[in-house]
Amino acid sequence: MPAWVRFRRSSRPDGLHILGHLILTCASLADAARAAERYHPLVSQAGTVTLHRPGGTGHICYRPTVGPPAMHPQQVEAVLSSMVRAARWIAGDDWTPLAVSFAHPRTGAAEPYTRVFGCPVAFGAPENAITVAGEDLDRRRPLYDPALNGLHRAYADRLLHQLSAAAPTVTERVRQWLEHTALGDAGPEGPARQLNLSVRTLRRALHAEGTSWRALLDTARHRRARRLLETTALPLDRIAPLIGLSGATALVRAFTRWEGMPPGAYRSRHRGRG
């Protein structure tokens, strides 16, 4: 029996983190999925949960944010198994999703997967996802206590605020990546790969933090240009490609926008101060 099947059987509400207690008091599966999407970092920062609703179905997706050495396929299977188990606390023990998919290939027999999830299970798929019928997502629970749910949600918000204040933001991690990479051909694919995110998810995260890839790259070019002007005698046509600009003219235009003076004047002023 796979270890994640034993994990699923041993999971019980009395051993839950705050996210589990919050999910137990949600009004519907859609409400629970949105709670998991927002508060999953309280449980683990090794992956993200997202809810997509194209057409009449919903896809609750799990994307690891760490590489394969740190995230074994069985851990992904345990995550989706626990999500289905949590859904059954809301929808009933006999509830089953329409389908479950994993991005990794299957190892071992197919029967335990079908037995645990109660639906078709695919491997080698584009996403780790649980597919849910739209009517199942939106069906409200007969017993729902909004006051209790609000208490759990307020506590989870406080914990999330504390966590975000202590952890480096996506913006900071992208800044660090730009600080140590060649800017000549830098693109968002680089930091996205390092953070194990899609480029689209990276852009969304930066937007949520009030910035963008373009703005961070522009700042990195500015900082690199100043450093090269201050510490080297390289001509402008050599500096430009090092910071990802097409030539000296583009560098003069960009640097004048950044500093209010052309790069030659900046270099002369810096040397004069030395």
Side-chain angles (χ1 to χ4, degrees), residues 60-76:
I60 305 170
C61 301
Y62 178 74
R63 180 187 293 274
T65 54
V66 295
M71 175 65 77
H72 192 278
Q74 280 201 336
Q75 292 174 279
V76 177

Side-chain angles (χ1 to χ4, degrees), residues 18 21-22 25 38-39 42 146-162:
I18 178 59
H21 289 291
L22 174 57
T25 61
R38 174 171 174 79
Y39 299 108
L42 296 176
L148 182 59
N149 178 261
L151 287 174
H152 287 318
R153 195 174 296 270
Y155 181 52
D157 278 329
R158 288 198 299 273
L159 294 177
L160 195 63
H161 176 73
Q162 293 170 8

Side-chain angles (χ1 to χ4, degrees), residues 7-22 24 42-43 82 85 89:
F7 166 82
R8 183 196 71 85
R9 290 179 174 176
S10 66
S11 61
R12 293 292 185 269
D14 57 0
L16 294 179
H17 186 276
I18 178 59
L19 176 58
H21 289 291
L22 174 57
L24 276 172
L42 296 176
V43 178
S82 65
R85 176 61 177 164
W89 294 335

Side-chain angles (χ1 to χ4, degrees), residues 208-242:
E209 293 175 6
T211 187
S212 68
W213 164 256
R214 185 183 296 274
L216 293 176
L217 178 59
D218 190 64
T219 299
R221 285 172 170 165
H222 180 194
R223 290 168 59 87
R224 189 76 56 88
R226 286 196 311 186
R227 189 180 309 138
L228 290 169
L229 289 167
E230 293 169 4
T231 61
T232 76
L234 289 173
L236 300 187
D237 60 356
R238 291 278 304 281
I239 292 177
L242 294 178

Side-chain angles (χ1 to χ4, degrees), residues 81-249:
S81 174
S82 65
M83 290 167 65
V84 169
R85 176 61 177 164
R88 286 172 178 155
W89 294 335
I90 298 174
D93 287 341
D94 59 348
W95 176 84
T96 58
L98 295 177
V100 169
S101 64
F102 294 104
H104 58 263
R106 176 170 59 85
T107 57
E111 188 274 336
Y113 296 93
T114 304
R115 173 162 46 84
V116 168
F117 291 111
C119 65
V121 181
F123 293 85
E127 291 273 11
N128 305 302
I130 301 166
T131 302
V132 184
E135 56 269 27
D136 286 350
L137 279 172
D138 295 327
R139 186 179 300 116
R140 292 182 67 83
R141 305 178 68 180
L143 299 176
Y144 168 59
D145 186 341
L148 182 59
N149 178 261
L151 287 174
H152 287 318
R153 195 174 296 270
Y155 181 52
D157 278 329
R158 288 198 299 273
L159 294 177
L160 195 63
H161 176 73
Q162 293 170 8
L163 180 66
S164 62
T169 62
V170 172
T171 298
E172 183 56 33
R173 296 172 75 178
V174 172
R175 282 198 187 105
Q176 293 171 2
W177 184 88
L178 285 165
E179 184 68 20
H180 298 98
T181 197
L183 298 179
D185 57 355
E189 299 80 10
R193 191 180 308 112
Q194 185 180 69
L195 298 176
N196 206 28
L197 301 173
S198 68
V199 172
R200 181 180 179 185
T201 300
L202 176 72
R203 291 186 186 279
R204 283 205 305 262
L206 293 176
H207 178 75
E209 293 175 6
T211 187
S212 68
W213 164 256
R214 185 183 296 274
L216 293 176
L217 178 59
D218 190 64
T219 299
R221 285 172 170 165
H222 180 194
R223 290 168 59 87
R224 189 76 56 88
R226 286 196 311 186
R227 189 180 309 138
L228 290 169
L229 289 167
E230 293 169 4
T231 61
T232 76
L234 289 173
L236 300 187
D237 60 356
R238 291 278 304 281
I239 292 177
L242 294 178
I243 66 170
L245 296 179
S246 59
T249 301

